[in-house]
Amino acid sequence: MKKRRLGRSPIYVSEICMGTMTFGSGADEAMSHRIMDESVEAGINFFDTAENYPVPPKPEWAGETEKSSAAG
């Protein structure tokens, strides 16, 4: 997996970003962890955990994608 420097920081991220918008709604916790594990094994280290995920948004799901990504 090719990596690119993130701006002028010393951080390098994969050219492919894994979106987590279905984590918590379309993908349960176990499937979400499998997806993240396989992504990391493929060299992905860039995960989009936008605060409005998952889709469709529900108040009880707010912040859940961030928790799942941080735990992985």
Side-chain angles (χ1 to χ4, degrees), residues 6-7 12 14 17 19 21 25-26 37 40 43 45 47 56-57 61-62 67 69:
L6 187 61
Y12 283 80
S14 54
C17 176
M21 67 183 264
S25 60
D37 290 344
V40 170
N45 69 345
F47 291 84
W61 290 343
K67 289 180 188 175
S69 294

Side-chain angles (χ1 to χ4, degrees), residues 8-9 15-17 22 24 32 37 44 49 53 59 64 66 70:
R8 295 182 183 179
S9 77
E15 286 188 335
I16 296 175
C17 176
T22 62
S32 298
D37 290 344
I44 296 171
T49 61
Y53 290 161
E64 289 302 308
E66 290 85 349

Side-chain angles (χ1 to χ4, degrees), residues 42-62:
I44 296 171
N45 69 345
F46 185 15
F47 291 84
D48 179 359
T49 61
E51 62 192 38
N52 290 328
Y53 290 161
V55 174
K58 289 188 176 182
E60 63 269 23
W61 290 343

Side-chain angles (χ1 to χ4, degrees), residues 1-3 14-16 18 34-47:
M1 176 68 58
K2 289 184 180 180
K3 303 271 196 290
S14 54
E15 286 188 335
I16 296 175
M18 180 65 211
R34 280 195 305 275
I35 292 168
M36 287 189 296
D37 290 344
E38 289 183 24
S39 297
V40 170
E41 287 173 17
I44 296 171
N45 69 345
F46 185 15
F47 291 84

